[in-house]
Amino acid sequence: MPKTIKRVLITGGAGFLGSHLCDRYFEEGYDVICMDNLSTGAAENIEHLFGKDRFTFVKHDVTQYIHVSGEVDLVLHFASPASPIDYLEMPIQTLKVGSLGTHKALGLAMEKDARFLLASTSEVYGDPKTHPQSETYWGNVNPIGDRGVYDEAKRFGEAMTMAYHRYHGVETRIARIFNTYGPRMRLRDGRALPTFLRQALNGVDLTVYGDGSQTRSFCYVDDLIEGIYRLSQSEYIQPVNLGNPDEISIKEFAEEIIEFTDSDSGITFEELPKDDPQVRQPDITRAKELLDWQPTYSRRDGLEATIGYFRQELGLGQDN
Ligand code: UDP
């Protein structure tokens, strides 16, 4: 009998991106196995999928041996703390999930003859010396800095992924994900966007680090998920940047959030964290050419969708 239903294992499936991936692959007709140890993920992000017959949740730490019974066609390895506050609090777990966890997830993919997609990051470029960043740039990372635990774990993950491809013939994909935002982001994960939104909605000052001249490029989650989906269906082995090239300084971004939320908040300036990248903007030529992908949400549209979620989570009405 021909096999019709495909099975996907999503590590970190209860996290921000992972839970959106669970939704997307479920809608595409996949049998979805969501694996998460809930260290930074939350069951609430996937509770709407509980009880559905093509969805399974497994509470497991992927740095330990992973067992899944039956066939698996695709492994999406998204497990990792992902905000600077989280990896300052969990430096060793961050290193372990990027290294040991990637090894275990690749081992499972090899065992099941499954395709493997690594959630890598723009952080592999560190504080970049080229602008915008294209996939051919090797990066400028401080291995022993506070952020090094994340950056180096992801760089190791990429090296391990390519080794499994070259040595074991595993079909691998690498997505280098730039700053992404949207519903289900944790309100207190410490990153600029959720912090600013929370502050603006609560009418307190937005905390801009440094002079706010550092730049980021923010991508709405639905666009990112579309890019991941297309990459997983493509035949391309080399890393692919996924992000929105619309770059903005953090100070202007704070002002924009105050405007979009119609807030009375002001801005206070605080100390810039060490090794904070000065600029970040994806060159998405590769994704455009190979995947016919580019973001469709403007920051205004993406932020509007996100503000609704934040109001709800903060227990605020739609209008105040
Ligand atoms: N940032 C800020 N105020 C905050 C949190 C972050 O000014 O309350 C800055 C941070 O220093 C960085 C930028 O905003 O320059 C983006 O930080 P985020 O933590 O969102 O992500 P990163 O891109 O640094 O991983």
Side-chain angles (χ1 to χ4, degrees):
M1 217 173 71
K3 199 175 135 215
T4 49
I5 301 225
K6 292 200 160 204
R7 288 182 95 206
V8 58
L9 169 69
I10 304 175
T11 77
F16 166 47
L17 294 181
S19 65
H20 285 282
L21 289 169
C22 287
D23 286 340
R24 177 61 188 267
Y25 284 81
F26 188 84
E27 281 159 22
E28 296 287 343
Y30 278 74
D31 208 331
V32 175
I33 308 157
C34 166
M35 188 171 277
D36 205 299
N37 68 352
L38 301 180
S39 68
T40 57
E44 293 75 46
N45 288 338
I46 41 160
E47 66 185 352
H48 54 285
L49 293 169
F50 277 90
K52 301 214 191 268
D53 61 356
R54 283 188 289 106
F55 180 78
T56 315
F57 173 69
V58 183
K59 187 167 184 294
H60 181 68
D61 173 353
V62 293
T63 64
Q64 307 288 325
Y65 181 82
I66 303 172
H67 175 72
V68 174
S69 59
E71 292 180 35
V72 176
D73 304 282
L74 177 63
V75 176
L76 305 176
H77 183 43
F78 276 69
S80 178
S83 84
I85 282 197
D86 290 336
Y87 38 86
L88 283 178
E89 272 173 17
M90 294 181 277
I92 301 185
Q93 290 97 318
T94 304
L95 280 159
K96 281 175 75 179
V97 74
S99 55
L100 305 179
T102 304
H103 184 218
K104 299 288 182 291
L106 276 162
L108 180 92
M110 184 169 83
E111 164 74 21
K112 303 287 185 185
D113 207 9
R115 186 172 282 192
F116 177 88
L117 186 148
L118 176 71
S120 186
T121 169
S122 57
E123 297 279 331
V124 300
Y125 302 126
D127 192 2
K129 301 265 193 231
T130 65
H131 196 65
Q133 294 76 54
S134 78
E135 293 88 345
T136 51
Y137 179 53
W138 291 352
N140 177 38
V141 171
N142 174 6
I144 57 163
D146 288 341
R147 300 176 79 108
V149 296
Y150 183 69
D151 306 1
E152 295 294 5
K154 290 288 185 182
R155 288 170 67 94
F156 176 92
E158 287 198 10
M160 185 65 112
T161 300
M162 290 309 289
Y164 263 68
H165 171 66
R166 293 197 184 103
Y167 189 73
H168 289 306
V170 174
E171 265 194 67
T172 55
R173 308 284 179 266
I174 297 174
R176 288 190 180 149
I177 301 170
F178 284 66
N179 295 64
T180 303
Y181 68 96
R184 299 187 197 154
M185 259 190 131
R186 273 157 53 229
L187 274 60
R188 293 179 184 282
D189 86 353
R191 280 186 278 190
L193 189 140
T195 308
F196 289 171
L197 272 185
R198 192 166 43 82
Q199 291 166 332
L201 291 170
N202 284 328
V204 298
D205 276 7
L206 278 63
T207 49
V208 168
Y209 298 162
D211 62 5
S213 63
Q214 69 273 30
T215 68
R216 293 295 184 272
S217 307
F218 295 95
C219 183
Y220 186 61
V221 64
D222 287 7
D223 283 332
L224 194 273
I225 298 299
E226 179 64 31
I228 298 288
Y229 183 75
R230 290 191 191 196
L231 180 61
S232 77
Q233 309 299 313
S234 83
E235 299 304 316
Y236 195 68
I237 303 289
Q238 298 296 316
V240 178
N241 284 343
L242 293 174
N244 190 326
D246 186 3
E247 184 184 14
I248 187 170
S249 78
I250 291 299
K251 180 165 174 285
E252 283 170 310
F253 185 54
E255 288 162 356
E256 203 175 82
I257 288 194
I258 290 171
E259 183 197 326
F260 290 175
T261 52
D262 209 7
S263 169
D264 298 330
S265 296
I267 291 179
T268 53
F269 293 89
E270 295 189 358
E271 200 186 334
L272 188 69
K274 276 208 285 308
D275 299 327
D276 199 281
Q278 259 307 304
V279 289
R280 199 182 281 151
Q281 183 191 30
D283 177 338
I284 58 165
T285 310
R286 200 175 265 185
K288 276 187 186 158
E289 284 172 3
L290 292 169
L291 312 175
D292 189 25
W293 175 86
Q294 62 181 330
T296 58
Y297 278 82
S298 65
R299 235 186 352 265
R300 181 177 278 276
D301 291 345
L303 280 172
E304 250 157 43
T306 312
I307 289 166
Y309 173 81
F310 271 69
R311 280 194 198 282
Q312 199 183 321
E313 290 296 301
L314 291 166
L316 302 170
Q318 284 302 311
D319 302 315
N320 56 2

